[in-house]
Amino acid sequence: MKYLAFATVFMTAAGASPGHAGSVAISSSYSSTAPKACRMIGKPSEEDGSTTRVCPGKSGLVVLINEGDLREVVSVGRNREAAAREPAARAWFGPFSSTGDRVEWRAAGGKPFAIIQRWQIADNSEQDKRGGPVSRAMLAVTRLPPGDVCHVAYVDVAANPNANELARQAADDFARDFKCGTDTVKTIGQSGRTTSLMRR
């Protein structure tokens, strides 16, 4: 995902959902989930090569990334244990999948309420030059505490030239009021091959 290099982007809450009207500014900031920026938990499993890492986030939150069988899940919490209990910690996709090394944090008045991440979803219907499945890009919006942590919206990057803007708007409009386990995760913008692949 091409972000403005660690820039802070502001919007007025007039662009947010009606339940969050007011003069509080909405901003973006970024953190890294690259292995060198995170703490690895234990050693990789010999059975499936699974790994767990905990990465520093914003406002005292951490990002938990579990990888096994070439699929990742990502969650957020005050600590590793809290993040592991969230619905997002079980939000895996059927195809092989992985995330990028940068997390965008959407915050209102300095308090994060959502993250946006770029995912790569394997498409077994087409092979790359090395003979493996082609990777297709998707943005996932995840709501943050207070309340449960879960996916809110998906944006197909190839189908939407303005994917970053769509993901930010989805975070601002839906994340804070989204009810995990009750509300349906939204596909934002134009649907494409990627958003059809990742349906579990």
Side-chain angles (χ1 to χ4, degrees):
M1 181 186 309
K2 294 182 179 179
Y3 294 99
L4 297 175
F6 294 92
T8 300
V9 182
F10 290 97
M11 293 177 57
T12 63
S17 59
H20 302 281
S23 59
V24 177
I26 296 178
S27 63
S28 279
S29 60
Y30 303 90
S31 67
S32 174
T33 55
K36 65 181 180 180
C38 305
R39 177 168 58 94
M40 302 300 294
I41 306 297
K43 297 180 179 179
S45 168
E46 294 183 0
E47 294 183 359
D48 61 3
S50 62
T51 61
T52 299
R53 66 186 189 269
V54 179
C55 312
K58 301 292 182 179
S59 298
L61 296 170
V62 300
V63 180
L64 174 68
I65 302 177
N66 284 323
E67 188 274 333
D69 193 26
L70 299 180
R71 295 172 177 85
E72 287 189 348
V73 293
V74 179
S75 188
V76 177
R78 290 294 171 188
N79 50 52
R80 174 194 172 192
E81 292 75 16
R85 292 192 295 267
E86 297 290 352
R90 300 179 294 278
W92 55 274
F93 302 122
F96 297 150
S97 59
S98 61
T99 57
D101 289 342
R102 189 177 293 181
V103 177
E104 178 174 359
W105 298 77
R106 294 295 281 174
K111 296 181 179 180
F113 60 83
I115 61 170
I116 301 169
Q117 278 183 296
R118 185 186 182 102
W119 288 72
Q120 295 293 333
I121 309 296
D123 185 353
N124 289 310
S125 70
E126 186 177 343
Q127 292 185 338
D128 59 22
K129 294 180 179 179
R130 297 173 298 176
V134 168
S135 291
R136 302 196 185 278
M138 178 190 73
L139 301 182
V141 179
T142 303
R143 78 175 312 280
L144 301 179
D148 293 336
V149 177
C150 66
H151 292 177
V152 171
Y154 302 132
V155 182
D156 189 309
V157 172
N160 296 279
N162 59 336
N164 290 346
E165 290 77 11
L166 289 174
R168 292 178 187 128
Q169 193 65 54
D172 300 350
D173 288 350
F174 307 126
R176 285 166 285 183
D177 295 327
F178 191 88
K179 296 177 176 59
C180 300
T182 300
D183 294 342
T184 301
V185 180
K186 302 175 185 296
T187 297
I188 304 299
Q190 295 295 318
S191 296
R193 178 62 181 165
T194 313
T195 45
S196 65
L197 280 172
M198 58 72 186
R199 289 171 186 153
R200 294 189 297 277

